[in-house]
Structures are given as C-alpha cells and as structure tokens.
Amino acid sequence: MTRPVLLVIAHGSRDPRHAATVHALVRRSGRLRPGVRVETAFLDFNVPSVPAVLERLAAEGVRDVVALPLLLTRAFHAKADIPAVLREAPSCLRVRQAPVLGPSPLLVAALERRLYEAGLTPADKRSTGVVLASAGSSDPEAIAVIAEMARELRHTGWCAVRPAFASASLPRTEDAVRALRADGVRRVAVAPYVIAPGRLPDRITEGAAGADVLADVLGPSPELAKLLLERYDQARRAEERAAAA
C-alpha cells in the first residue's frame, strides 16, 4: 500500500531565512522516514504555493496527501486559511489535514535544547526564569496553548516561566523580562516559541535585550523533525479508525 505524501504547509515570509529554515526542517524529517515522500508548500510570500504543489502531485498520479500545518497553535491559519486552500485541491486527491504541532512534549524538549545550546545547563534551572516568547495571536485557543506550554516548561524545573507575545496579545517579551526581574529572578532567558526567523521573531529578539540569555528559534531541531512525522502518523491512524468504523 502506497503511503500518503506528507505535505508540510508553512506560512511563508519575505525574510529569506524563513524558507531556508523550513526547508532544512523538512529535509531532516524526510531523512528520519525515507519511505515517506515529503513536500513543502507555502501559504504566502514563498514558492511553491499550496495549489501549485497539489496540482503537481495530482498530475504525477498521487492520490493520498496528508497536509500538515507547520504551526505551533491552532489559530486562524489552521482553522480557516489552510482548510480553504485544501478544499480547492484537484478532485482526484484525497487530502487529510493533520493536527498542528503544539502542544507536545517534543516541543518542550526542543525549547530546552535551544536554551542549553545558548549556554545554560540543567544545573541553571533553579536560578533561571524563562520567557516563552511566541509570535502572538488573538485566538483564545492559541493563547491557552501558549499558557499550557509555559506550564509544561515550568514543570521541567525552571524557577519561573512567563509567556509573552510579539503581536496581537500581551505581555510583550520585554515586559515579561522586566516582570521576572521584579520577582527577583537571578537569571532571565528568552526562549522563542517560533519555528523560523522572520519579522515577528525579530521583535522577540529586540524585546530580549534586557535578558541574560536568548535562545535560537526551534528551527530544524531533531525534536521538531520527529514531531512532523508524529502528526503525520496521527492523521493516518485517524483515517484508518474512520474507515473501520
């Protein structure tokens, strides 16, 4: 039985670092599962577009696609933009939308990896507060997921974790840094809860000026590459259960 193609759908950005990071992540996922064909498409700014990739797959004779939103929360893009573009797929394709990436223990592990790569160690946890800085959303469900991720990160042993947002919601990164300082936290680290560089991640970097440590974006981390395949498998199992019902 032919496995469905995994189509990773990223938002896209005018910043060339964004597409380069997305492609690096997708390549890493592909190396983890050589038997799965993995394709990349973008909603905006970058090529190939989602419709272009779907048309090409249909022309090649592909029939099953799992579309994975490269998103950390289930906000507007996952609820509206991506379903709308997938509804326009060629009729010969059966396209299933996989769940978004967050929340997941693998994302907590990826955040910690980036913090350690920035110079921290597990021994620093008890004296370090972390600002979990996301791009931001006005969607209450997305904001609740960020709060849940902050709690999960706190449970790994950091002395405090505060969520922050680069847009749409408050507090901003710099405000969360100041709040941790006011609470008497000795060392403050900013962990960007974003996948790839771009305009909003740059705002997080600017807001981290008062912190002691700034971690990198999640990027092509091993944990994130594994999570893409986990969501692919989850979508396939859901389809199998529905077919058996």
Side-chain angles (χ1 to χ4, degrees), residues 93-231:
L93 289 178
R94 182 174 63 164
V95 183
R96 289 156 280 172
Q97 182 174 328
V100 297
L101 300 176
S104 168
L106 286 169
L107 289 170
V108 175
L111 287 163
E112 291 206 296
R113 173 186 291 275
R114 294 303 188 223
L115 286 165
Y116 296 151
E117 289 173 348
L120 296 172
T121 70
D124 295 320
K125 284 187 171 185
R126 289 191 297 176
S127 60
T128 303
V130 177
V131 175
L132 183 66
S134 73
S137 174
S138 58
D139 188 299
E141 182 180 351
I143 293 171
V145 168
I146 301 300
E148 179 181 346
M149 285 296 300
R151 287 191 296 271
E152 292 301 316
L153 189 59
R154 171 71 179 84
H155 291 159
T156 68
W158 303 95
C159 75
V161 179
R162 285 180 175 265
F165 307 91
S167 69
S169 306
L170 295 174
R172 296 287 183 258
T173 303
E174 54 269 32
D175 298 326
V177 170
R178 283 194 290 267
L180 286 173
R181 296 279 191 213
D183 288 342
V185 174
R186 188 194 313 172
R187 183 189 297 106
V188 176
V190 173
Y193 188 55
V194 293
I195 293 172
R199 178 175 57 88
L200 294 178
D202 283 347
R203 286 190 192 174
I204 292 173
T205 299
E206 293 166 5
D212 302 292
V213 175
L214 171 62
D216 200 358
V217 298
L218 297 172
S221 64
E223 296 84 2
L224 198 54
K226 182 179 178 182
L227 182 56
L228 264 60
L229 296 171
E230 189 174 284
R231 293 292 184 251

Side-chain angles (χ1 to χ4, degrees), residues 15-88:
D15 189 322
R17 297 173 299 168
H18 176 91
T21 301
V22 169
H23 286 303
L25 171 61
V26 172
R27 284 195 300 270
R28 188 162 201 164
S29 284
R31 289 195 296 270
L32 291 175
R33 192 79 64 85
V36 175
R37 178 177 175 181
V38 186
E39 297 279 347
T40 308
F42 297 89
L43 284 174
D44 206 355
F45 302 117
N46 302 104
V47 292
S49 67
V50 179
V53 174
L54 292 173
E55 291 285 352
R56 173 166 55 81
L57 291 174
E60 293 176 7
V62 171
R63 292 297 174 260
D64 288 311
V65 176
V66 170
L68 172 62
L70 196 63
L71 301 168
L72 297 172
T73 60
R74 189 173 174 270
F76 183 78
H77 294 306
K79 294 177 179 179
D81 286 348
I82 291 177
V85 74
L86 294 180
R87 282 195 293 270
E88 300 302 316

